[in-house]
Amino acid sequence: MQNTDDIGRVLVIIPTYNERENIESIVARVRAAVPEAEILVADDNSPDGTGEIADRLAAADERVHVMHRAGKEGLGAAYIAGFHWGMEHGFDVLVEMDADGSHQPEELARLLSALGGADLVIGSRWVRGGTVENWPVNREVLSRGANIYARLMLGIPVRDSTGGYRVYRATTLQKIEIDGVASQGYCFQVDLTLRTVRAGLRVTEVPIRFVERTHGASKMSRAIMIEAFQRIAGWGAAYWLGRLTGRERH
């Protein structure tokens, strides 16, 4: 069991859209893995009733909370709303976690422990000790390639900048101006990583076991991949132009 007294109050933010098959299990696993932590389910008005299930869980457990959002606005918008909710309610540490079980709650204690020497901890698939299960070869090649592309284009020393299992200090989110983040999908994760590095803050990667979902549909789409490619290209052009002219820019 992880004692969170040394890092303050912890909020695990779990965005949902049509996750009725997964939400009860993931909430139960988080509560068992780190009992001191609280949970915020940020539901984008799921038509399958995920929000109603989350309400039932919250009614039975005072450490579970639910944010009902008007509709499906994307992963980035859901997390930013969750970050604001957490900071407004006095949480010191904000955790990103998928609802589908790909992020193992049982590994959360290790990520929280690593926060002692960092401002952002990323659960990484692509550092030594990290693993991916049940992914086809083309998906692994795509993810590895995207992270190499981001690392080279942006000049950031992070091997899994697209990873979505993360632990932020509230002070980190305040310093990187999250209200200026327009990215969605997996590009949102790269954007926040870049902002953290550019702010001179400490990023630590901890190896995790990533398991592809067994219930429900993946939210990955062609549009998400195109957005990431285009935004990283733009940020990269600004970065390298800044390096050449002596005026580094984000």
Side-chain angles (χ1 to χ4, degrees):
M1 183 185 300
Q2 170 72 19
N3 188 325
T4 61
D5 290 346
D6 54 341
I7 58 174
R9 297 178 65 207
V10 176
L11 180 69
V12 179
I13 303 167
I14 304 177
T16 56
Y17 185 77
N18 288 349
E19 296 286 358
R20 64 172 298 121
E21 295 175 297
N22 297 309
I23 189 60
E24 291 186 78
S25 172
I26 199 70
V27 167
R29 289 173 64 191
V30 172
R31 292 290 290 117
V34 186
E36 300 93 339
E38 298 188 35
I39 298 169
L40 174 66
V41 178
D43 185 66
D44 276 5
N45 197 24
S46 298
D48 73 346
T50 300
E52 288 77 6
I53 296 172
D55 283 338
R56 191 179 74 239
L57 297 174
D61 187 341
E62 63 180 7
R63 289 186 177 268
V64 178
H65 314 277
V66 185
M67 173 188 292
H68 292 282
R69 291 163 43 77
K72 189 176 182 183
E73 299 178 16
L75 184 71
Y79 272 129
I80 288 174
F83 291 153
H84 280 301
W85 188 96
M87 289 187 285
E88 288 166 5
H89 287 80
F91 287 91
D92 305 290
V93 176
L94 294 307
V95 178
E96 293 184 22
M97 183 183 292
D98 286 352
D100 61 14
S102 57
H103 300 148
Q104 308 305 297
E106 295 75 20
E107 296 185 315
L108 179 55
R110 289 196 297 110
L111 272 66
L112 292 171
S113 294
L115 195 64
D119 301 293
L120 162 61
V121 176
I122 299 175
S124 180
R125 299 159 293 184
W126 308 129
V127 294
R128 183 180 298 276
T131 61
V132 171
E133 296 182 11
N134 303 327
W135 260 11
V137 172
N138 65 325
R139 183 78 183 273
E140 181 170 343
V141 169
L142 177 63
S143 180
R144 286 184 180 273
N147 278 287
I148 292 171
Y149 172 66
R151 193 160 68 249
L152 295 176
M153 287 293 290
L154 304 177
I156 55 176
V158 178
R159 299 190 64 83
D160 196 355
S161 61
T162 65
Y165 195 4
R166 297 174 169 226
V167 178
Y168 290 91
R169 293 184 183 275
T171 52
T172 300
L173 296 171
Q174 291 162 358
K175 290 174 183 175
I176 65 175
E177 300 179 354
I178 57 174
D179 286 333
V181 177
S183 309
Q184 295 297 325
Y186 294 93
C187 190
F188 170 79
Q189 310 295 6
V190 180
D191 197 339
L192 266 64
T193 304
L194 179 61
R195 287 167 181 264
T196 303
V197 172
R198 293 285 187 268
L201 302 175
R202 302 162 298 173
V203 179
T204 295
E205 292 185 86
V206 173
I208 61 166
R209 171 175 163 258
F210 181 96
V211 181
E212 178 67 346
R213 68 162 62 234
T214 57
H215 300 291
S218 171
K219 307 303 188 296
M220 173 65 79
S221 69
R222 181 181 178 83
I224 288 172
M225 291 186 285
I226 291 173
E227 181 206 20
F229 179 85
Q230 292 176 336
R231 287 189 182 273
I232 292 170
W235 295 330
Y239 169 70
W240 287 106
L241 178 62
R243 290 288 298 271
L244 290 171
T245 62
R247 297 175 59 192
E248 189 172 319
R249 295 178 292 178
H250 177 175

